Amino acid sequence: MIKDIKSNKLNFDISNLLKIRDIVYSPFIVSVAISPLNLFNYLYKKEKNLLEICRDKKIHQRPAKAMLDVLLSFGLLKKSKKGYYNLTKSSLYLTKDFGFDISGYIEQSALFESSIKNRILSVLKTDQPLSIDDDKNWEKAMEGNFSKFFTEVMDSRGAFLAKAFVKKIKENKNFGIKKIKMLDIGGSSGIFSSILVSLIKKSEATIFEKYPVDKVAKKYIKARFLDDVVSVICGDMFKDDLPEGYNIHLYSHVFHDWNEKQNTELLKKSYRSLPKGGLVIIHDKHLNEKNMEEFAEISHYSLMLALLTRGRCYSVDEIKYLLKIVGFKSIKYIPTGVSNRSLIVGKK
């Protein structure tokens, strides 16, 4: 746990360190696209949209979208209004039509880790993530040593990201809210709440977390001597109503774990719970095709999430659409400038 959450050492951008983990599955997805999906031959001189690709290849939309984003980022595919299509270099070097096929060389590395490739293909075919997906197994793991490890990992990452998040809130004059009372939904260790109350005077926060993470959060808050301004409520964001009495709802690195239907349900709960003028803030990596360099980096992270969780990284437009259909207005997209994170803010 990082105790000195006001340290200037947390102002450094550690993006390059975080990228080491994010790209781990991307080479394997290229191999899966070559074989058995035969995607580059399939898209040669054709444009196919996501639905058509999923239908013809018998794969699911959520992980397929993450795969296609990675292939776009590597410059192996291009996207038009009609759909995805094969670029010249993919046609020349990843198909058998021109006599320059080097796909076997690319696939060679995956042969040594064929089990990973097979598991990735399984996610595409079943839409079931690779990670633990049983609540009882998860709770059991979180009661042991894994609980400490998992929370420390999220807490250490969050300490670097939360300062930039709070800075944007301050730059926007707290979005017109005089005294912040924030509900940090799925807030893990409470690092975002801790840094918020440390940097914005008279602010308060409550972490809404399910058992047993709520117990871990309480320990972290107490260790930082912030239990007078940061509280913890035990609850399940999908099964329970969200408590009232808060003017900001924060979902930081939450939506990327869940599908669009589940995220819409969370936004509906927030809309019901928030007062008029209250805000919902989604803090995450958001895909933005207007900035392809940023898009490329985020696509690798999104693929990892698509394989390990029930979600992926969503685009700015996708999140804005969900906010609009639920009823939120005055929607703003605010990049934090750190590790490709951004805020998307909606007002009730």
Side-chain angles (χ1 to χ4, degrees):
M1 181 183 77
I2 297 175
K3 290 186 177 181
D4 186 7
I5 57 176
K6 291 185 179 180
S7 172
N8 287 332
K9 292 180 180 178
L10 294 177
N11 294 334
F12 292 104
D13 189 350
I14 59 168
S15 301
N16 287 335
L17 295 176
L18 298 181
K19 277 188 275 186
I20 295 170
R21 184 194 71 155
D22 294 353
I23 200 168
V24 65
Y25 289 108
S26 296
F28 292 98
I29 203 71
V30 176
S31 181
V32 170
I34 293 170
S35 172
L37 292 184
N38 197 26
L39 197 63
F40 299 108
N41 277 307
Y42 165 76
L43 290 174
Y44 177 53
K45 292 187 176 179
K46 301 185 192 82
E47 287 179 299
K48 298 281 188 178
N49 62 36
L50 179 61
L51 290 175
E52 290 171 327
I53 293 170
C54 291
R55 179 198 66 205
D56 295 345
K57 295 298 177 181
K58 296 181 173 58
I59 56 179
H60 286 264
Q61 288 185 47
R62 182 189 64 84
K65 175 65 166 61
M67 173 185 69
L68 292 167
D69 285 342
V70 168
L71 298 179
L72 285 173
S73 78
F74 280 138
L76 300 177
L77 293 180
K78 201 165 179 64
K79 186 181 177 184
S80 70
K81 291 182 179 180
K82 292 181 180 180
Y84 300 85
Y85 59 93
N86 198 337
L87 279 175
T88 302
K89 64 181 175 183
S90 302
S91 300
L92 280 173
Y93 305 124
L94 296 178
T95 70
K96 303 185 186 303
D97 295 335
F98 299 96
F100 303 105
D101 181 25
I102 61 165
S103 59
Y105 179 81
I106 295 171
E107 284 199 275
Q108 184 182 26
S109 60
L111 291 175
F112 298 108
E113 297 291 347
S114 58
S115 62
I116 296 177
K117 182 175 174 180
N118 290 336
R119 294 175 74 199
I120 290 173
L121 182 63
S122 175
V123 176
L124 287 163
K125 294 287 188 181
T126 67
D127 203 27
Q128 297 301 310
L130 298 174
S131 59
I132 299 171
D133 197 47
D134 183 272
D135 285 342
K136 291 182 180 179
N137 287 341
W138 176 254
E139 286 184 10
K140 187 175 180 180
M142 287 301 286
E143 287 173 351
N145 291 331
F146 179 70
S147 169
K148 183 179 179 182
F149 169 75
F150 181 80
T151 309
E152 281 184 355
V153 168
M154 295 300 105
D155 187 81
S156 60
R157 181 192 68 171
F160 285 90
L161 301 176
K163 291 193 81 171
F165 161 77
V166 175
K167 182 182 177 182
K168 289 302 173 183
I169 291 178
K170 292 176 74 173
E171 285 179 359
N172 284 272
K173 299 180 180 179
N174 299 354
F175 300 104
I177 295 175
K178 292 182 179 180
K179 182 180 179 181
I180 291 177
K181 293 193 70 176
M182 184 176 80
L183 186 66
D184 189 355
I185 303 160
S188 188
S189 69
I191 185 63
F192 279 78
S193 291
S194 297
I195 290 182
L196 177 90
V197 300
S198 298
L199 299 181
I200 298 181
K201 294 180 180 179
K202 297 181 179 180
S203 59
E204 299 175 13
T206 296
I207 301 151
F208 190 79
E209 262 292 4
K210 67 186 297 186
Y211 174 86
V213 184
D214 65 310
K215 288 187 175 182
V216 182
K218 286 178 181 178
K219 289 180 182 178
Y220 274 59
I221 298 304
K222 190 173 183 179
R224 289 181 172 126
F225 305 103
L226 293 172
D227 44 332
D228 58 330
V229 285
V230 180
S231 59
V232 180
I233 294 177
C234 181
D236 187 316
M237 61 186 181
F238 289 114
K239 296 178 181 177
D240 302 322
D241 291 332
L242 298 178
E244 297 182 353
Y246 301 91
N247 47 33
I248 292 180
H249 281 190
L250 171 65
Y251 294 95
S252 179
H253 299 96
V254 171
F255 277 28
H256 68 211
D257 286 338
W258 308 102
N259 62 40
E260 292 178 75
K261 182 179 178 181
Q262 290 168 311
N263 289 331
T264 302
E265 288 305 310
L266 292 176
L267 287 175
K268 286 179 179 178
K269 286 190 173 190
S270 284
Y271 194 85
R272 288 195 295 267
S273 173
L274 282 166
K276 186 177 181 180
L279 303 176
V280 63
I281 301 177
I282 296 97
H283 172 259
D284 215 318
K285 284 190 173 186
H286 297 109
L287 292 160
N288 183 5
E289 291 186 26
K290 294 177 182 178
N291 183 339
M292 285 308 295
E293 182 179 351
E294 181 182 285
F295 177 91
E297 290 188 12
I298 296 174
S299 70
H300 301 297
Y301 182 59
S302 181
L303 175 67
M304 182 185 67
L305 291 167
L307 297 174
L308 298 178
T309 75
R310 294 195 176 280
R312 59 175 174 83
C313 287
Y314 296 97
S315 71
V316 176
D317 288 340
E318 284 175 318
I319 296 297
K320 283 183 175 181
Y321 174 75
L322 294 184
L323 288 166
K324 286 178 182 178
I325 63 172
V326 170
F328 287 99
K329 310 288 185 183
S330 305
I331 300 168
K332 296 180 180 180
Y333 164 64
I334 306 170
T336 67
V338 174
S339 194
N340 294 325
R341 262 63 179 188
S342 55
L343 286 64
I344 301 181
V345 184
K347 185 175 183 179
K348 179 174 175 179

